[in-house]
Amino acid sequence: MNLKRETQEIVGYPYRYALFYNFPGGLRFELSEGGNPLDQVLTALRKATAVCEDVFANEKTILVHLLTFLPLSKFGLRRKLRELHVAGITIPEVRELWLDVEDQDDDEVFYWVNCAFEVPVSKVQNLIWCAVTTDFGTSLSPNPHCRVYLLNPSDGIVVHPYDDRGMDVISKHKSALAGLYERHKHLLLSHDIEIMRRTFADS
């Protein structure tokens, strides 16, 4: 099993940010609704979990793709692993690690550390927590401070809760997302609803 290849080929080519805008035909969900940080995270957790329960309803495992930015000290890496462990996520021995390079306009080169592995589908809520707490510093824990992508290779779906505010869901197959559009229409981000309506209203 080549986990890196699975993550890169599931929607045709590698993804990193703004999935809804970079992969036309996806869904963007609105998560938190204001309030104190804990209220925001709990609301985001509830909404994202409802969508993910549909995405992974027929699956026993989730393919997880974690992404974090270099430079990363040994201390920083240990902290991320500790926070994941506290969140109930243990990276298994069967995993894949790789670096991606990002060139900047000023000729600087930056690196991203990728880690892909599988976990039981029962861990979906734990992983969503890790994703939606990412912007809250140390005020909410556990918080491994990394991007979290949840993949369903069977249906070709990538789920990215990018922070407490929202979550993108993309796929190469429009049919894989049509049911999510109908069942969770009330959670879709109103700012982009017309784009999604044009894609799915006639499905």
PDB file of all heavy atoms in Angstrom, residues 92-127:
ATOM      1  N   PRO A  92       0.287   4.879  13.732  1.00  0.00           N
ATOM      2  CA  PRO A  92       0.690   3.471  13.711  1.00  0.00           C
ATOM      3  C   PRO A  92       2.042   3.264  13.025  1.00  0.00           C
ATOM      4  O   PRO A  92       2.573   4.174  12.372  1.00  0.00           O
ATOM      5  CB  PRO A  92      -0.436   2.794  12.927  1.00  0.00           C
ATOM      6  CG  PRO A  92      -0.940   3.873  12.021  1.00  0.00           C
ATOM      7  CD  PRO A  92      -0.805   5.160  12.783  1.00  0.00           C
ATOM      8  N   GLU A  93       2.579   2.062  13.175  1.00  0.00           N
ATOM      9  CA  GLU A  93       3.849   1.746  12.524  1.00  0.00           C
ATOM     10  C   GLU A  93       3.714   1.764  11.007  1.00  0.00           C
ATOM     11  O   GLU A  93       4.666   2.107  10.292  1.00  0.00           O
ATOM     12  CB  GLU A  93       4.350   0.377  12.998  1.00  0.00           C
ATOM     13  CG  GLU A  93       4.784   0.359  14.457  1.00  0.00           C
ATOM     14  CD  GLU A  93       5.382  -0.977  14.865  1.00  0.00           C
ATOM     15  OE1 GLU A  93       5.592  -1.827  13.973  1.00  0.00           O
ATOM     16  OE2 GLU A  93       5.625  -1.166  16.068  1.00  0.00           O
ATOM     17  N   VAL A  94       2.560   1.376  10.523  1.00  0.00           N
ATOM     18  CA  VAL A  94       2.314   1.432   9.080  1.00  0.00           C
ATOM     19  C   VAL A  94       1.875   2.848   8.745  1.00  0.00           C
ATOM     20  O   VAL A  94       0.721   3.233   8.927  1.00  0.00           O
ATOM     21  CB  VAL A  94       1.234   0.416   8.645  1.00  0.00           C
ATOM     22  CG1 VAL A  94       0.996   0.523   7.142  1.00  0.00           C
ATOM     23  CG2 VAL A  94       1.644  -0.992   9.026  1.00  0.00           C
ATOM     24  N   ARG A  95       2.806   3.652   8.286  1.00  0.00           N
ATOM     25  CA  ARG A  95       2.528   5.048   7.927  1.00  0.00           C
ATOM     26  C   ARG A  95       3.532   5.466   6.863  1.00  0.00           C
ATOM     27  O   ARG A  95       4.489   4.734   6.571  1.00  0.00           O
ATOM     28  CB  ARG A  95       2.637   5.966   9.147  1.00  0.00           C
ATOM     29  CG  ARG A  95       4.041   6.273   9.707  1.00  0.00           C
ATOM     30  CD  ARG A  95       4.613   5.198  10.544  1.00  0.00           C
ATOM     31  NE  ARG A  95       5.895   5.552  11.137  1.00  0.00           N
ATOM     32  CZ  ARG A  95       6.083   5.760  12.427  1.00  0.00           C
ATOM     33  NH1 ARG A  95       5.055   5.713  13.264  1.00  0.00           N
ATOM     34  NH2 ARG A  95       7.281   6.024  12.878  1.00  0.00           N
ATOM     35  N   GLU A  96       3.329   6.617   6.280  1.00  0.00           N
ATOM     36  CA  GLU A  96       4.262   7.118   5.276  1.00  0.00           C
ATOM     37  C   GLU A  96       4.561   8.580   5.558  1.00  0.00           C
ATOM     38  O   GLU A  96       3.654   9.380   5.824  1.00  0.00           O
ATOM     39  CB  GLU A  96       3.702   6.944   3.868  1.00  0.00           C
ATOM     40  CG  GLU A  96       4.732   7.184   2.798  1.00  0.00           C
ATOM     41  CD  GLU A  96       4.445   6.399   1.519  1.00  0.00           C
ATOM     42  OE1 GLU A  96       3.497   5.584   1.523  1.00  0.00           O
ATOM     43  OE2 GLU A  96       5.161   6.605   0.534  1.00  0.00           O
ATOM     44  N   LEU A  97       5.834   8.935   5.519  1.00  0.00           N
ATOM     45  CA  LEU A  97       6.290  10.298   5.749  1.00  0.00           C
ATOM     46  C   LEU A  97       6.982  10.815   4.499  1.00  0.00           C
ATOM     47  O   LEU A  97       7.730  10.079   3.855  1.00  0.00           O
ATOM     48  CB  LEU A  97       7.266  10.358   6.928  1.00  0.00           C
ATOM     49  CG  LEU A  97       6.733   9.961   8.304  1.00  0.00           C
ATOM     50  CD1 LEU A  97       7.880   9.746   9.261  1.00  0.00           C
ATOM     51  CD2 LEU A  97       5.795  11.041   8.833  1.00  0.00           C
ATOM     52  N   TRP A  98       6.756  12.091   4.159  1.00  0.00           N
ATOM     53  CA  TRP A  98       7.469  12.697   3.045  1.00  0.00           C
ATOM     54  C   TRP A  98       7.464  14.216   3.176  1.00  0.00           C
ATOM     55  O   TRP A  98       6.691  14.789   3.943  1.00  0.00           O
ATOM     56  CB  TRP A  98       6.863  12.273   1.709  1.00  0.00           C
ATOM     57  CG  TRP A  98       5.521  12.818   1.365  1.00  0.00           C
ATOM     58  CD1 TRP A  98       5.248  13.916   0.597  1.00  0.00           C
ATOM     59  CD2 TRP A  98       4.237  12.289   1.759  1.00  0.00           C
ATOM     60  NE1 TRP A  98       3.893  14.099   0.489  1.00  0.00           N
ATOM     61  CE2 TRP A  98       3.249  13.110   1.181  1.00  0.00           C
ATOM     62  CE3 TRP A  98       3.835  11.183   2.541  1.00  0.00           C
ATOM     63  CZ2 TRP A  98       1.888  12.880   1.372  1.00  0.00           C
ATOM     64  CZ3 TRP A  98       2.489  10.952   2.724  1.00  0.00           C
ATOM     65  CH2 TRP A  98       1.529  11.803   2.144  1.00  0.00           C
ATOM     66  N   LEU A  99       8.378  14.861   2.463  1.00  0.00           N
ATOM     67  CA  LEU A  99       8.488  16.311   2.443  1.00  0.00           C
ATOM     68  C   LEU A  99       7.997  16.854   1.109  1.00  0.00           C
ATOM     69  O   LEU A  99       8.235  16.262   0.060  1.00  0.00           O
ATOM     70  CB  LEU A  99       9.939  16.761   2.646  1.00  0.00           C
ATOM     71  CG  LEU A  99      10.591  16.512   3.998  1.00  0.00           C
ATOM     72  CD1 LEU A  99      12.042  16.990   3.970  1.00  0.00           C
ATOM     73  CD2 LEU A  99       9.833  17.205   5.114  1.00  0.00           C
ATOM     74  N   ASP A 100       7.326  17.997   1.160  1.00  0.00           N
ATOM     75  CA  ASP A 100       6.969  18.747  -0.041  1.00  0.00           C
ATOM     76  C   ASP A 100       7.693  20.082   0.006  1.00  0.00           C
ATOM     77  O   ASP A 100       7.847  20.682   1.078  1.00  0.00           O
ATOM     78  CB  ASP A 100       5.457  19.002  -0.109  1.00  0.00           C
ATOM     79  CG  ASP A 100       4.677  17.767  -0.510  1.00  0.00           C
ATOM     80  OD1 ASP A 100       5.257  16.916  -1.212  1.00  0.00           O
ATOM     81  OD2 ASP A 100       3.500  17.654  -0.117  1.00  0.00           O
ATOM     82  N   VAL A 101       8.113  20.555  -1.143  1.00  0.00           N
ATOM     83  CA  VAL A 101       8.816  21.829  -1.245  1.00  0.00           C
ATOM     84  C   VAL A 101       7.861  22.883  -1.789  1.00  0.00           C
ATOM     85  O   VAL A 101       7.095  22.623  -2.714  1.00  0.00           O
ATOM     86  CB  VAL A 101      10.036  21.709  -2.181  1.00  0.00           C
ATOM     87  CG1 VAL A 101      10.739  23.055  -2.317  1.00  0.00           C
ATOM     88  CG2 VAL A 101      11.004  20.659  -1.657  1.00  0.00           C
ATOM     89  N   GLU A 102       7.922  24.072  -1.196  1.00  0.00           N
ATOM     90  CA  GLU A 102       7.127  25.195  -1.697  1.00  0.00           C
ATOM     91  C   GLU A 102       8.060  26.364  -1.950  1.00  0.00           C
ATOM     92  O   GLU A 102       8.671  26.900  -1.026  1.00  0.00           O
ATOM     93  CB  GLU A 102       6.035  25.585  -0.702  1.00  0.00           C
ATOM     94  CG  GLU A 102       5.174  26.732  -1.193  1.00  0.00           C
ATOM     95  CD  GLU A 102       3.986  26.989  -0.293  1.00  0.00           C
ATOM     96  OE1 GLU A 102       3.327  26.025   0.116  1.00  0.00           O
ATOM     97  OE2 GLU A 102       3.723  28.169  -0.013  1.00  0.00           O
ATOM     98  N   ASP A 103       8.199  26.763  -3.204  1.00  0.00           N
ATOM     99  CA  ASP A 103       9.045  27.901  -3.563  1.00  0.00           C
ATOM    100  C   ASP A 103       8.269  29.204  -3.393  1.00  0.00           C
ATOM    101  O   ASP A 103       7.101  29.297  -3.778  1.00  0.00           O
ATOM    102  CB  ASP A 103       9.518  27.787  -5.013  1.00  0.00           C
ATOM    103  CG  ASP A 103      10.410  26.570  -5.225  1.00  0.00           C
ATOM    104  OD1 ASP A 103      11.256  26.318  -4.356  1.00  0.00           O
ATOM    105  OD2 ASP A 103      10.239  25.879  -6.242  1.00  0.00           O
ATOM    106  N   GLN A 104       8.941  30.197  -2.836  1.00  0.00           N
ATOM    107  CA  GLN A 104       8.339  31.511  -2.653  1.00  0.00           C
ATOM    108  C   GLN A 104       8.907  32.493  -3.679  1.00  0.00           C
ATOM    109  O   GLN A 104       9.949  32.270  -4.283  1.00  0.00           O
ATOM    110  CB  GLN A 104       8.614  32.017  -1.231  1.00  0.00           C
ATOM    111  CG  GLN A 104       8.041  31.123  -0.140  1.00  0.00           C
ATOM    112  CD  GLN A 104       6.533  31.080  -0.155  1.00  0.00           C
ATOM    113  OE1 GLN A 104       5.878  32.120  -0.252  1.00  0.00           O
ATOM    114  NE2 GLN A 104       5.963  29.898  -0.056  1.00  0.00           N
ATOM    115  N   ASP A 105       8.220  33.627  -3.872  1.00  0.00           N
ATOM    116  CA  ASP A 105       8.641  34.613  -4.861  1.00  0.00           C
ATOM    117  C   ASP A 105      10.007  35.213  -4.548  1.00  0.00           C
ATOM    118  O   ASP A 105      10.712  35.662  -5.441  1.00  0.00           O
ATOM    119  CB  ASP A 105       7.606  35.741  -4.958  1.00  0.00           C
ATOM    120  CG  ASP A 105       6.295  35.246  -5.553  1.00  0.00           C
ATOM    121  OD1 ASP A 105       6.317  34.214  -6.247  1.00  0.00           O
ATOM    122  OD2 ASP A 105       5.260  35.889  -5.308  1.00  0.00           O
ATOM    123  N   ASP A 106      10.379  35.256  -3.274  1.00  0.00           N
ATOM    124  CA  ASP A 106      11.654  35.857  -2.892  1.00  0.00           C
ATOM    125  C   ASP A 106      12.787  34.829  -2.891  1.00  0.00           C
ATOM    126  O   ASP A 106      13.814  35.024  -2.246  1.00  0.00           O
ATOM    127  CB  ASP A 106      11.556  36.513  -1.513  1.00  0.00           C
ATOM    128  CG  ASP A 106      11.042  35.548  -0.452  1.00  0.00           C
ATOM    129  OD1 ASP A 106      10.880  34.353  -0.769  1.00  0.00           O
ATOM    130  OD2 ASP A 106      10.815  35.985   0.680  1.00  0.00           O
ATOM    131  N   ASP A 107      12.590  33.733  -3.609  1.00  0.00           N
ATOM    132  CA  ASP A 107      13.594  32.676  -3.770  1.00  0.00           C
ATOM    133  C   ASP A 107      13.818  31.844  -2.504  1.00  0.00           C
ATOM    134  O   ASP A 107      14.710  31.006  -2.478  1.00  0.00           O
ATOM    135  CB  ASP A 107      14.947  33.241  -4.243  1.00  0.00           C
ATOM    136  CG  ASP A 107      14.848  33.831  -5.640  1.00  0.00           C
ATOM    137  OD1 ASP A 107      14.053  33.301  -6.436  1.00  0.00           O
ATOM    138  OD2 ASP A 107      15.553  34.814  -5.923  1.00  0.00           O
ATOM    139  N   GLU A 108      13.021  32.077  -1.469  1.00  0.00           N
ATOM    140  CA  GLU A 108      13.110  31.226  -0.293  1.00  0.00           C
ATOM    141  C   GLU A 108      12.392  29.907  -0.574  1.00  0.00           C
ATOM    142  O   GLU A 108      11.423  29.861  -1.325  1.00  0.00           O
ATOM    143  CB  GLU A 108      12.487  31.910   0.922  1.00  0.00           C
ATOM    144  CG  GLU A 108      13.309  33.064   1.468  1.00  0.00           C
ATOM    145  CD  GLU A 108      12.732  33.554   2.776  1.00  0.00           C
ATOM    146  OE1 GLU A 108      13.011  32.930   3.817  1.00  0.00           O
ATOM    147  OE2 GLU A 108      11.982  34.553   2.746  1.00  0.00           O
ATOM    148  N   VAL A 109      12.863  28.852   0.045  1.00  0.00           N
ATOM    149  CA  VAL A 109      12.256  27.537  -0.102  1.00  0.00           C
ATOM    150  C   VAL A 109      11.730  27.086   1.251  1.00  0.00           C
ATOM    151  O   VAL A 109      12.436  27.152   2.252  1.00  0.00           O
ATOM    152  CB  VAL A 109      13.275  26.511  -0.650  1.00  0.00           C
ATOM    153  CG1 VAL A 109      12.644  25.125  -0.728  1.00  0.00           C
ATOM    154  CG2 VAL A 109      13.780  26.941  -2.015  1.00  0.00           C
ATOM    155  N   PHE A 110      10.476  26.648   1.267  1.00  0.00           N
ATOM    156  CA  PHE A 110       9.864  26.157   2.488  1.00  0.00           C
ATOM    157  C   PHE A 110       9.483  24.690   2.311  1.00  0.00           C
ATOM    158  O   PHE A 110       9.244  24.231   1.196  1.00  0.00           O
ATOM    159  CB  PHE A 110       8.622  26.980   2.845  1.00  0.00           C
ATOM    160  CG  PHE A 110       8.927  28.422   3.156  1.00  0.00           C
ATOM    161  CD1 PHE A 110       8.862  29.383   2.165  1.00  0.00           C
ATOM    162  CD2 PHE A 110       9.289  28.794   4.437  1.00  0.00           C
ATOM    163  CE1 PHE A 110       9.150  30.711   2.439  1.00  0.00           C
ATOM    164  CE2 PHE A 110       9.577  30.122   4.728  1.00  0.00           C
ATOM    165  CZ  PHE A 110       9.506  31.083   3.729  1.00  0.00           C
ATOM    166  N   TYR A 111       9.415  23.987   3.425  1.00  0.00           N
ATOM    167  CA  TYR A 111       9.114  22.565   3.375  1.00  0.00           C
ATOM    168  C   TYR A 111       7.890  22.249   4.227  1.00  0.00           C
ATOM    169  O   TYR A 111       7.678  22.844   5.283  1.00  0.00           O
ATOM    170  CB  TYR A 111      10.301  21.739   3.893  1.00  0.00           C
ATOM    171  CG  TYR A 111      11.523  21.828   3.013  1.00  0.00           C
ATOM    172  CD1 TYR A 111      12.482  22.806   3.238  1.00  0.00           C
ATOM    173  CD2 TYR A 111      11.713  20.943   1.948  1.00  0.00           C
ATOM    174  CE1 TYR A 111      13.604  22.900   2.434  1.00  0.00           C
ATOM    175  CE2 TYR A 111      12.827  21.026   1.136  1.00  0.00           C
ATOM    176  CZ  TYR A 111      13.767  22.004   1.390  1.00  0.00           C
ATOM    177  OH  TYR A 111      14.869  22.099   0.579  1.00  0.00           O
ATOM    178  N   TRP A 112       7.102  21.313   3.721  1.00  0.00           N
ATOM    179  CA  TRP A 112       5.965  20.785   4.456  1.00  0.00           C
ATOM    180  C   TRP A 112       6.236  19.319   4.782  1.00  0.00           C
ATOM    181  O   TRP A 112       6.694  18.568   3.934  1.00  0.00           O
ATOM    182  CB  TRP A 112       4.685  20.868   3.629  1.00  0.00           C
ATOM    183  CG  TRP A 112       4.243  22.270   3.341  1.00  0.00           C
ATOM    184  CD1 TRP A 112       4.591  23.043   2.275  1.00  0.00           C
ATOM    185  CD2 TRP A 112       3.362  23.065   4.139  1.00  0.00           C
ATOM    186  NE1 TRP A 112       3.978  24.268   2.349  1.00  0.00           N
ATOM    187  CE2 TRP A 112       3.222  24.318   3.480  1.00  0.00           C
ATOM    188  CE3 TRP A 112       2.683  22.835   5.333  1.00  0.00           C
ATOM    189  CZ2 TRP A 112       2.428  25.332   3.988  1.00  0.00           C
ATOM    190  CZ3 TRP A 112       1.886  23.842   5.839  1.00  0.00           C
ATOM    191  CH2 TRP A 112       1.763  25.081   5.172  1.00  0.00           C
ATOM    192  N   VAL A 113       5.944  18.934   6.028  1.00  0.00           N
ATOM    193  CA  VAL A 113       6.074  17.539   6.443  1.00  0.00           C
ATOM    194  C   VAL A 113       4.713  16.883   6.346  1.00  0.00           C
ATOM    195  O   VAL A 113       3.724  17.393   6.890  1.00  0.00           O
ATOM    196  CB  VAL A 113       6.590  17.431   7.890  1.00  0.00           C
ATOM    197  CG1 VAL A 113       6.765  15.964   8.278  1.00  0.00           C
ATOM    198  CG2 VAL A 113       7.900  18.177   8.054  1.00  0.00           C
ATOM    199  N   ASN A 114       4.641  15.774   5.647  1.00  0.00           N
ATOM    200  CA  ASN A 114       3.399  15.024   5.461  1.00  0.00           C
ATOM    201  C   ASN A 114       3.484  13.687   6.187  1.00  0.00           C
ATOM    202  O   ASN A 114       4.534  13.042   6.190  1.00  0.00           O
ATOM    203  CB  ASN A 114       3.164  14.724   3.982  1.00  0.00           C
ATOM    204  CG  ASN A 114       3.042  15.962   3.133  1.00  0.00           C
ATOM    205  OD1 ASN A 114       1.945  16.430   2.827  1.00  0.00           O
ATOM    206  ND2 ASN A 114       4.186  16.534   2.723  1.00  0.00           N
ATOM    207  N   CYS A 115       2.379  13.280   6.756  1.00  0.00           N
ATOM    208  CA  CYS A 115       2.283  11.950   7.368  1.00  0.00           C
ATOM    209  C   CYS A 115       0.915  11.368   7.029  1.00  0.00           C
ATOM    210  O   CYS A 115      -0.115  12.023   7.247  1.00  0.00           O
ATOM    211  CB  CYS A 115       2.460  12.037   8.881  1.00  0.00           C
ATOM    212  SG  CYS A 115       2.414  10.436   9.719  1.00  0.00           S
ATOM    213  N   ALA A 116       0.906  10.167   6.474  1.00  0.00           N
ATOM    214  CA  ALA A 116      -0.345   9.498   6.106  1.00  0.00           C
ATOM    215  C   ALA A 116      -0.430   8.148   6.802  1.00  0.00           C
ATOM    216  O   ALA A 116       0.558   7.414   6.871  1.00  0.00           O
ATOM    217  CB  ALA A 116      -0.446   9.317   4.599  1.00  0.00           C
ATOM    218  N   PHE A 117      -1.611   7.824   7.310  1.00  0.00           N
ATOM    219  CA  PHE A 117      -1.822   6.557   8.006  1.00  0.00           C
ATOM    220  C   PHE A 117      -3.323   6.295   8.105  1.00  0.00           C
ATOM    221  O   PHE A 117      -4.137   7.187   7.829  1.00  0.00           O
ATOM    222  CB  PHE A 117      -1.193   6.596   9.407  1.00  0.00           C
ATOM    223  CG  PHE A 117      -1.645   7.754  10.263  1.00  0.00           C
ATOM    224  CD1 PHE A 117      -2.722   7.630  11.130  1.00  0.00           C
ATOM    225  CD2 PHE A 117      -0.998   8.975  10.189  1.00  0.00           C
ATOM    226  CE1 PHE A 117      -3.141   8.692  11.909  1.00  0.00           C
ATOM    227  CE2 PHE A 117      -1.409  10.058  10.960  1.00  0.00           C
ATOM    228  CZ  PHE A 117      -2.478   9.909  11.823  1.00  0.00           C
ATOM    229  N   GLU A 118      -3.670   5.101   8.494  1.00  0.00           N
ATOM    230  CA  GLU A 118      -5.071   4.740   8.654  1.00  0.00           C
ATOM    231  C   GLU A 118      -5.419   4.580  10.128  1.00  0.00           C
ATOM    232  O   GLU A 118      -4.580   4.122  10.927  1.00  0.00           O
ATOM    233  CB  GLU A 118      -5.386   3.437   7.917  1.00  0.00           C
ATOM    234  CG  GLU A 118      -5.357   3.573   6.411  1.00  0.00           C
ATOM    235  CD  GLU A 118      -5.803   2.294   5.710  1.00  0.00           C
ATOM    236  OE1 GLU A 118      -5.630   1.200   6.303  1.00  0.00           O
ATOM    237  OE2 GLU A 118      -6.325   2.378   4.583  1.00  0.00           O
ATOM    238  N   VAL A 119      -6.639   4.961  10.488  1.00  0.00           N
ATOM    239  CA  VAL A 119      -7.162   4.759  11.839  1.00  0.00           C
ATOM    240  C   VAL A 119      -8.593   4.248  11.725  1.00  0.00           C
ATOM    241  O   VAL A 119      -9.241   4.428  10.685  1.00  0.00           O
ATOM    242  CB  VAL A 119      -7.143   6.062  12.678  1.00  0.00           C
ATOM    243  CG1 VAL A 119      -5.722   6.553  12.895  1.00  0.00           C
ATOM    244  CG2 VAL A 119      -8.005   7.137  12.026  1.00  0.00           C
ATOM    245  N   PRO A 120      -9.112   3.632  12.779  1.00  0.00           N
ATOM    246  CA  PRO A 120     -10.516   3.207  12.755  1.00  0.00           C
ATOM    247  C   PRO A 120     -11.445   4.404  12.584  1.00  0.00           C
ATOM    248  O   PRO A 120     -11.151   5.512  13.046  1.00  0.00           O
ATOM    249  CB  PRO A 120     -10.708   2.548  14.133  1.00  0.00           C
ATOM    250  CG  PRO A 120      -9.335   2.177  14.572  1.00  0.00           C
ATOM    251  CD  PRO A 120      -8.423   3.218  14.007  1.00  0.00           C
ATOM    252  N   VAL A 121     -12.568   4.190  11.940  1.00  0.00           N
ATOM    253  CA  VAL A 121     -13.506   5.279  11.690  1.00  0.00           C
ATOM    254  C   VAL A 121     -14.054   5.856  12.996  1.00  0.00           C
ATOM    255  O   VAL A 121     -14.517   7.005  13.029  1.00  0.00           O
ATOM    256  CB  VAL A 121     -14.651   4.795  10.766  1.00  0.00           C
ATOM    257  CG1 VAL A 121     -15.599   3.872  11.528  1.00  0.00           C
ATOM    258  CG2 VAL A 121     -15.390   5.959  10.137  1.00  0.00           C
ATOM    259  N   SER A 122     -13.960   5.121  14.072  1.00  0.00           N
ATOM    260  CA  SER A 122     -14.418   5.619  15.376  1.00  0.00           C
ATOM    261  C   SER A 122     -13.614   6.825  15.856  1.00  0.00           C
ATOM    262  O   SER A 122     -14.031   7.530  16.783  1.00  0.00           O
ATOM    263  CB  SER A 122     -14.341   4.502  16.426  1.00  0.00           C
ATOM    264  OG  SER A 122     -13.008   4.038  16.562  1.00  0.00           O
ATOM    265  N   LYS A 123     -12.467   7.095  15.227  1.00  0.00           N
ATOM    266  CA  LYS A 123     -11.607   8.214  15.629  1.00  0.00           C
ATOM    267  C   LYS A 123     -11.940   9.504  14.884  1.00  0.00           C
ATOM    268  O   LYS A 123     -11.230  10.504  15.040  1.00  0.00           O
ATOM    269  CB  LYS A 123     -10.141   7.860  15.391  1.00  0.00           C
ATOM    270  CG  LYS A 123      -9.616   6.728  16.257  1.00  0.00           C
ATOM    271  CD  LYS A 123      -9.604   7.108  17.729  1.00  0.00           C
ATOM    272  CE  LYS A 123      -8.989   6.014  18.595  1.00  0.00           C
ATOM    273  NZ  LYS A 123      -8.973   6.402  20.031  1.00  0.00           N
ATOM    274  N   VAL A 124     -13.003   9.511  14.097  1.00  0.00           N
ATOM    275  CA  VAL A 124     -13.283  10.687  13.277  1.00  0.00           C
ATOM    276  C   VAL A 124     -13.478  11.939  14.127  1.00  0.00           C
ATOM    277  O   VAL A 124     -12.976  13.022  13.791  1.00  0.00           O
ATOM    278  CB  VAL A 124     -14.500  10.447  12.351  1.00  0.00           C
ATOM    279  CG1 VAL A 124     -15.780  10.263  13.138  1.00  0.00           C
ATOM    280  CG2 VAL A 124     -14.634  11.581  11.354  1.00  0.00           C
ATOM    281  N   GLN A 125     -14.174  11.831  15.249  1.00  0.00           N
ATOM    282  CA  GLN A 125     -14.433  13.015  16.065  1.00  0.00           C
ATOM    283  C   GLN A 125     -13.148  13.526  16.717  1.00  0.00           C
ATOM    284  O   GLN A 125     -12.944  14.747  16.839  1.00  0.00           O
ATOM    285  CB  GLN A 125     -15.486  12.703  17.129  1.00  0.00           C
ATOM    286  CG  GLN A 125     -16.134  13.937  17.728  1.00  0.00           C
ATOM    287  CD  GLN A 125     -17.366  13.612  18.526  1.00  0.00           C
ATOM    288  OE1 GLN A 125     -17.374  12.693  19.333  1.00  0.00           O
ATOM    289  NE2 GLN A 125     -18.429  14.376  18.312  1.00  0.00           N
ATOM    290  N   ASN A 126     -12.274  12.608  17.119  1.00  0.00           N
ATOM    291  CA  ASN A 126     -10.988  13.000  17.693  1.00  0.00           C
ATOM    292  C   ASN A 126     -10.188  13.823  16.690  1.00  0.00           C
ATOM    293  O   ASN A 126      -9.565  14.836  17.034  1.00  0.00           O
ATOM    294  CB  ASN A 126     -10.179  11.768  18.095  1.00  0.00           C
ATOM    295  CG  ASN A 126     -10.920  10.838  19.019  1.00  0.00           C
ATOM    296  OD1 ASN A 126     -12.018  10.380  18.703  1.00  0.00           O
ATOM    297  ND2 ASN A 126     -10.344  10.506  20.160  1.00  0.00           N
ATOM    298  N   LEU A 127     -10.188  13.371  15.431  1.00  0.00           N
ATOM    299  CA  LEU A 127      -9.435  14.058  14.390  1.00  0.00           C
ATOM    300  C   LEU A 127     -10.038  15.413  14.064  1.00  0.00           C
ATOM    301  O   LEU A 127      -9.314  16.392  13.830  1.00  0.00           O
ATOM    302  CB  LEU A 127      -9.381  13.181  13.141  1.00  0.00           C
ATOM    303  CG  LEU A 127      -8.495  11.939  13.277  1.00  0.00           C
ATOM    304  CD1 LEU A 127      -8.883  10.888  12.248  1.00  0.00           C
ATOM    305  CD2 LEU A 127      -7.023  12.314  13.136  1.00  0.00           C
TER     306      LEU A 127
END
